[in-house]
Amino acid sequence: MSEPSLSVSDKLRARLGRLRERARRTFPFLSGVLAALLALFLYNIFFPGARPLTQDEVNTVVSSALASATPRPAYSTQVYRIIQPSLVWIEADGLDSNGNGQTGLGTGVIIDRAGDILTSLHVVEGAGSIRLTFADGTLSRAIVLSAIPEKDIAVLQPEMLPEFFLPATLGNAGALQIGDEAYVVGNPFGLYNSMSSGVISGFDRTFRPPGTNQTIEGLIQIDAAVNPGNSGGPLLNRYGHVVGIVTGIINPTDESFFIGIGFAVPIDVAAGGVGMPPY
């Protein structure tokens, strides 16, 4: 016996019932999706995304960072800081060729913990008195402890030392090459603690100081500016190590000024005046 067919209204009610049941089951999912979309919409309103930087803005930021960066100090700056506490101003009172009193100026460098000072012999030779001024302002008299005339080197012993002093570090002159940095610190023309820089220009040079018959051999040639008052001061490498003692300049004129060729005694030879190894 066949079932009675449903009327049209019954079919519509059945279909609506199924749709309501399906909507009821999917409502939580749709609610979650809508909530997520709403949250995303609100977040974008209150926290807008960062706009990509333009190339001009990137260049500006990079330029600003580079401009504010502190550059590394030059080697010359570091060398000066290292050697300055070891420098000594030397004044030597004596007589000129006419028997008149005169004061010679030069430079020295402390080279050991006893306070011994290396300088050029011609700065103090024949002096009736030698006066020293240390880096901290301490004043003292000194005597010539020993000398190497054939190398124009003298070792001074001060009567009094500063409460605190710092011996220089002696380097290896044998490791130098032509073209290496060369720094000279001294008192040219009485200009206290002046610095000049250049390069190592040659080795094994020979020099005869004006007014003498003494020829000095085995010298280092430099083009760092050297003038009267620099004599006896240190020749330094890029690490602030003493690699020589400045002794003189070549000048084809009768004037005492630098023309580009200076000489220094290698430190291994100069330090032999106090029986020290060079490094």
Side-chain angles (χ1 to χ4, degrees), residues 72-82 183 195:
R72 179 180 179 179
Y75 281 117
S76 54
T77 300
Q78 300 178 70
V79 168
Y80 185 84
R81 291 173 181 170
I82 290 170
Y183 301 99
M195 184 177 197

Side-chain angles (χ1 to χ4, degrees), residues 38 127 130 227 254:
L38 180 61
I130 302 171
N227 284 290
D254 294 331

